[in-house]
Amino acid sequence: MRPANIFVFVFLFLPSFVMADALGDVENYLKRLKTGEARFVQIDPLGRVSNGIVIIKRPGKILFEFADPSPLKIAADGAFIVVQDKVNKKLQRVPLSATPLNLLLDDSIDLAGSGAVEKVQENPDFIRVHLRDPDGRVPGKLILIFARNPAELVRWITVDAKGQRTTVVLEGMKQGGDYPQRLFVITDE
């Protein structure tokens, strides 16, 4: 191969190999993440900050237990995401499949083959994976941010249909644990 051809090969194709490695690291991490718990800090689209504990149980389950003074509790039971306002005694239910969070909680993780990956950004410390519903049925997108070496989910950003962003920063993610189904169920009671 002539030097000019090597140059073209390296600059055109090497980034896709590196991206595939990063995406493979992320995929392997998500496949291993069956259950986990972390402290979180959430910044909503208006810049309001809240915090609490998040518990993930894949497939389909997540619990956000907000600390006071937030009146919110959010849980996905595998079918619906339920937002509970404990002060106003109101519940809002949305099908999990209608939210970008479904991409994180899905049972089958095949980022490279799913068509959901919009782009991958890398630097020496982090990998950012931009995900969008490949069928276009779910508005918005999910941006997952992983620390490197080893890969670990440290943040995600949900972007709704209007472009408003909610950022969740994870602190001290511990994988494993046995979390009963009842933790992820919010009822009217």
Side-chain angles (χ1 to χ4, degrees), residues 118-140:
E118 197 173 61
K119 69 179 169 179
V120 176
Q121 298 171 303
E122 298 182 73
N123 68 37
D125 300 318
F126 296 99
I127 303 167
R128 291 173 60 111
V129 181
H130 297 245
L131 302 170
R132 185 179 299 274
D133 176 20
D135 300 324
R137 292 185 308 246
V138 178

Side-chain angles (χ1 to χ4, degrees), residues 40 42 50-52 64-68 70 72-74 86:
F40 75 87
Q42 176 180 287
S50 53
N51 63 68
F64 292 93
E65 191 71 62
F66 287 82
D68 289 336
S70 175
L72 297 179
K73 181 177 182 179
I74 300 173
K86 294 180 263 186

Side-chain angles (χ1 to χ4, degrees), residues 24 26 36 40 48 72 90 104 114 144 148 159:
V26 165
F40 75 87
R48 294 178 296 212
L72 297 179
K90 294 191 179 196
L104 171 64
S114 70
L144 301 176
R148 298 186 91 140
V159 183

Side-chain angles (χ1 to χ4, degrees), residues 98-100 132 136-141 158-165:
T99 71
R132 185 179 299 274
R137 292 185 308 246
V138 178
K141 70 179 178 178
T158 55
V159 183
D160 69 15
K162 297 176 185 172
Q164 296 184 335
R165 294 172 169 248

Side-chain angles (χ1 to χ4, degrees), residues 47-89:
R48 294 178 296 212
V49 177
S50 53
N51 63 68
I53 301 291
V54 62
I55 298 172
I56 297 171
K57 183 176 182 179
R58 292 187 44 249
K61 297 170 190 69
I62 195 164
L63 170 68
F64 292 93
E65 191 71 62
F66 287 82
D68 289 336
S70 175
L72 297 179
K73 181 177 182 179
I74 300 173
D77 63 6
F80 290 92
I81 291 183
V82 179
V83 179
Q84 179 185 45
D85 182 330
K86 294 180 263 186
V87 171
N88 297 321
K89 309 268 191 244

Side-chain angles (χ1 to χ4, degrees), residues 33-34 55-63 75-82 94-97 99 101-109 181 184-185:
L33 178 63
K34 298 299 181 192
I55 298 172
I56 297 171
K57 183 176 182 179
R58 292 187 44 249
K61 297 170 190 69
I62 195 164
L63 170 68
D77 63 6
F80 290 92
I81 291 183
V82 179
V94 178
L96 178 60
S97 62
T99 71
L101 204 51
N102 188 47
L103 296 167
L104 171 64
L105 299 176
D106 195 15
D107 187 29
S108 60
I109 300 292
Q181 172 66 23
F184 305 98
V185 177

Side-chain angles (χ1 to χ4, degrees), residues 29-49:
Y29 173 84
L30 290 174
K31 286 177 181 177
R32 287 189 316 270
L33 178 63
K34 298 299 181 192
T35 62
E37 182 175 339
R39 292 178 312 283
F40 75 87
V41 175
Q42 176 180 287
I43 302 103
D44 75 9
L46 299 175
R48 294 178 296 212
V49 177

